[in-house]
Amino acid sequence: MKWNVLSVWRSLFSKRTSSTKDVSRKKAPWRWWTRKHLTLGAKGELAAQKQLRRRGHRILDVNYRHKLGELDIVSEHRGSIVFTEVKTRTEDEAFRPADNVGPAKMRKLRRIAEIYLKHRALADREVRFDVIELVYPSGGRGKPKLEHFERAF
C-alpha cells in the first residue's frame, strides 16, 4: 500500500471522528449563541429579526462588520434601506437600553452605513435608522418587552 500525505490525513481524521468524544459533539452541535456571555445579546438580535420580518422587512445582512464597528441588522422595507441597532438588557438594570445610543454612536453608525451602501452599490436608496430595545425579565428567561423606534435618528 502506498502512503501519501492525503491518505495519512484521512486515516488520522477517520480515527478521530470515531472516538466517543466526537460522537457526542455530533449529537449536540455547538452553537455560537449558547456561549454564556453572548446569550442575552444573541437572543435579542434573533427576536429583533423576527419582529422585523413580521413587519415586512427583508433582511439583507446581520452583524455587518467593518473596522469602525458593526451594524446589527440591515434590512429593506418599502424601498428604503433600514439600519437597525438592537439593544438588549434585563429588568435588573436601572436604565433603558435605547439610552446607550448617544450622539457618538449615531455618528459611528452613519459612517458605517455610508461604507455599507457604497460597498453594496445601494448609495441611491433612501435610508433610515431604527432602534429596537428588548428588556428581558430577570435571569434572561421568558418573553422580552420589545419596543421598536422607527426613524430614531
Side-chain angles (χ1 to χ4, degrees), residues 1 4 10 14 17 23 25 31 35 54 58-59 67 74 79 84 91 93 96 98 100 108 117 119 133 139 145 150:
M1 178 175 191
N4 60 21
R10 284 183 185 152
S14 65
T17 56
V23 170
R25 284 186 188 164
R31 294 187 176 110
R35 291 185 205 159
R54 265 192 239 124
R58 186 173 65 97
I59 306 293
K67 65 182 177 182
V74 182
T84 305
E91 287 178 338
E93 299 185 34
R96 293 185 63 169
N100 279 352
K108 186 176 174 181
L117 292 170
H119 182 254
E133 76 172 18
K145 296 173 190 165
E150 291 186 7

Side-chain angles (χ1 to χ4, degrees), residues 97-114:
D99 293 342
N100 279 352
V101 183
K105 180 75 171 180
M106 290 178 199
R107 280 192 303 274
K108 186 176 174 181
L109 289 173
R110 283 188 185 116
R111 273 192 235 129
I112 301 168
E114 286 176 22

Side-chain angles (χ1 to χ4, degrees), residues 44-57 59 73 132 134 146-148 150:
E45 285 189 9
L46 291 173
Q49 288 177 44
K50 193 174 180 180
Q51 173 68 14
L52 290 173
R53 283 191 185 102
R54 265 192 239 124
R55 290 185 171 208
H57 290 248
I59 306 293
I73 301 172
I132 292 182
L134 293 113
L146 186 143
E147 197 161 349
H148 185 174
E150 291 186 7

Side-chain angles (χ1 to χ4, degrees), residues 11-128:
S11 67
L12 289 172
F13 183 72
S14 65
K15 287 178 187 174
R16 187 169 183 266
T17 56
S18 64
S19 72
T20 57
K21 189 174 184 181
D22 288 331
V23 170
S24 65
R25 284 186 188 164
K26 287 181 182 178
K27 288 181 182 176
W30 182 260
R31 294 187 176 110
W32 63 269
W33 61 82
T34 59
R35 291 185 205 159
K36 200 164 201 150
H37 68 281
L38 293 177
T39 303
L40 191 64
K43 279 176 26 179
E45 285 189 9
L46 291 173
Q49 288 177 44
K50 193 174 180 180
Q51 173 68 14
L52 290 173
R53 283 191 185 102
R54 265 192 239 124
R55 290 185 171 208
H57 290 248
R58 186 173 65 97
I59 306 293
L60 300 176
D61 259 319
V62 177
N63 297 331
Y64 174 81
R65 293 178 194 269
H66 187 267
K67 65 182 177 182
L68 295 176
E70 179 182 79
L71 297 170
D72 290 336
I73 301 172
V74 182
S75 62
E76 182 181 21
H77 185 246
R78 297 182 183 161
S80 60
I81 304 298
V82 181
F83 297 97
T84 305
E85 179 68 14
V86 181
K87 293 294 181 184
T88 309
R89 300 284 183 271
T90 58
E91 287 178 338
D92 300 335
E93 299 185 34
F95 56 90
R96 293 185 63 169
D99 293 342
N100 279 352
V101 183
K105 180 75 171 180
M106 290 178 199
R107 280 192 303 274
K108 186 176 174 181
L109 289 173
R110 283 188 185 116
R111 273 192 235 129
I112 301 168
E114 286 176 22
I115 293 166
Y116 178 86
L117 292 170
K118 287 177 186 173
H119 182 254
R120 301 282 195 231
L122 298 169
D124 60 336
R125 305 284 292 275
E126 185 182 325
V127 173
R128 88 172 195 234

